[in-house]
Amino acid sequence: MYPKLSKLKAKYIRQLALKKYRLEKTAFILEGKKSIHLLLTSDYEIKFIVGTVSFFKANPDFFIGYEKPIEIFEVSNVELSQLGSFTNNQDILAVVSMPKQNQPIIYSTGITLALDNIRDPGNLGTIIRIADWYGISTLLCSQSTVALYNPKVLQASMGSFMKVNIHYVDLSNYLAESKLPIIGAMLGGENVHNFSFPDRGILVIGNESSGIQDEIKKNLTHSVSIPGYSSAESLNAAMATAIVCDNWKRVDYNHKKDSGC
């Protein structure tokens, strides 16, 4: 049905598992049927797609509606599992061009997320998914935050990375120049349940173990904390993000409801 994947292209795909090759070739791998389906409706440029014979037979209409020219190659189930990071991927993967980084767009209302030194790929991917869930359009990452196109980040984001504007910036300098309220999630802050969230602002989430760095803290205008009711030592970064975002959005919702919007 489709041509077989060459050894040269297979080598190229395997190289993209490493960050240095992703940066050198400005490309990354995306795996799985759901993620590729979303990819086909996005603005990302697809270099080529690799799938199993069984997948193409079971999904003959998968590419209907995608009008751009695209290279597609066939491999066996075993070969596909050896190319990507998912050992159980029996379907499809794509090699995708990294888009050029643009200047962050901070919108006139709502939350902008800022991540300070988030190192765990699962946390970053989940935070991206949380941002998508709560309609947060822009996510600022410090340069020390784990790379967006790490396969574990993409897997955890469940395709949401294609719907959130994600930027890597000098976070300390960026926040220092911002005129918006900057709210840090950290121990010792005001109870998140009682805090009066603004209509517009930046929420800073710190490192999983050490929290927000001192150079970032000096730019905060407020800090909030999540009260605990038992003996657990802490919440991970993604959980904390979801709780604070939910409280912020609830305040915003109630404000709009009360004003008749």
Side-chain angles (χ1 to χ4, degrees):
M1 186 176 182
Y2 296 110
K4 298 293 184 183
L5 185 72
S6 69
K7 290 182 178 179
L8 189 62
K9 272 191 163 54
K11 179 182 177 182
Y12 172 76
I13 294 170
R14 286 192 291 269
Q15 286 178 329
L16 295 178
L18 299 176
K19 181 180 177 181
K20 71 172 185 176
Y21 287 113
R22 291 196 297 269
L23 294 176
E24 177 186 309
K25 301 176 186 300
T26 62
F28 65 95
I29 302 168
L30 188 64
E31 297 182 68
K33 180 179 178 180
K34 288 185 178 180
S35 292
I36 305 301
H37 192 265
L38 282 172
L39 178 69
L40 293 172
T41 64
S42 76
D43 294 329
Y44 277 83
E45 179 188 345
I46 302 171
K47 287 181 174 289
F48 60 90
I49 282 178
V50 180
T52 62
V53 176
S54 57
F55 174 79
F56 291 133
K57 284 182 178 178
N59 298 272
D61 300 330
F62 191 75
F63 298 104
I64 286 181
Y66 187 77
E67 298 178 353
K68 298 175 185 177
I70 184 171
E71 281 191 294
I72 303 172
F73 301 95
E74 283 185 359
V75 291
S76 70
N77 291 28
V78 172
E79 287 172 322
L80 186 65
S81 66
Q82 292 172 343
L83 291 174
S85 60
F86 301 177
T87 55
N88 62 344
N89 182 13
Q90 302 296 304
D91 293 328
I92 191 169
L93 66 75
V95 174
V96 189
S97 294
M98 289 184 185
K100 291 182 179 179
Q101 174 119 24
N102 298 317
Q103 283 294 109
I105 299 172
I106 306 301
Y107 292 92
S108 58
T109 58
I111 309 167
T112 295
L113 269 176
L115 305 183
D116 176 26
N117 195 31
I118 297 296
R119 305 301 299 164
D120 181 82
N123 269 337
L124 177 56
T126 304
I127 289 170
I128 293 168
R129 193 175 176 190
I130 290 165
D132 184 21
W133 180 261
Y134 284 104
I136 297 169
S137 302
T138 301
L139 199 159
L140 307 172
C141 298
S142 67
Q143 299 291 355
S144 58
T145 291
V146 63
L148 168 61
Y149 298 114
N150 179 304
K152 292 180 180 179
V153 174
L154 298 179
Q155 180 184 11
S157 83
M158 296 293 289
S160 288
F161 77 94
M162 291 179 264
K163 296 183 280 181
V164 178
N165 299 310
I166 302 161
H167 305 272
Y168 284 76
V169 298
D170 183 326
L171 192 57
S172 179
N173 286 344
Y174 192 95
L175 296 179
E177 294 174 1
S178 176
K179 305 301 182 186
L180 294 174
I182 301 171
I183 300 158
M186 54 190 290
L187 294 174
E190 187 174 338
N191 188 323
V192 71
H193 300 149
N194 303 325
F195 185 71
S196 228
F197 285 99
D199 291 336
R200 182 184 180 207
I202 298 173
L203 172 60
V204 181
I205 302 295
N207 177 268
E208 294 86 353
S209 59
S210 57
I212 299 172
Q213 298 179 87
D214 289 342
E215 64 178 18
I216 302 296
K217 283 181 184 177
K218 67 184 181 183
N219 297 307
L220 301 180
T221 58
H222 307 84
S223 63
V224 294
S225 65
I226 301 164
Y229 300 95
S230 187
S231 58
E233 183 180 333
S234 63
L235 297 170
N236 75 20
M239 285 183 179
T241 302
I243 292 168
V244 179
C245 286
D246 193 72
N247 278 272
W248 195 330
K249 282 291 186 178
R250 189 181 311 141
V251 169
D252 182 52
Y253 170 78
N254 288 334
H255 173 75
K256 288 178 179 177
K257 186 173 68 172
D258 293 342
S259 63
C261 294

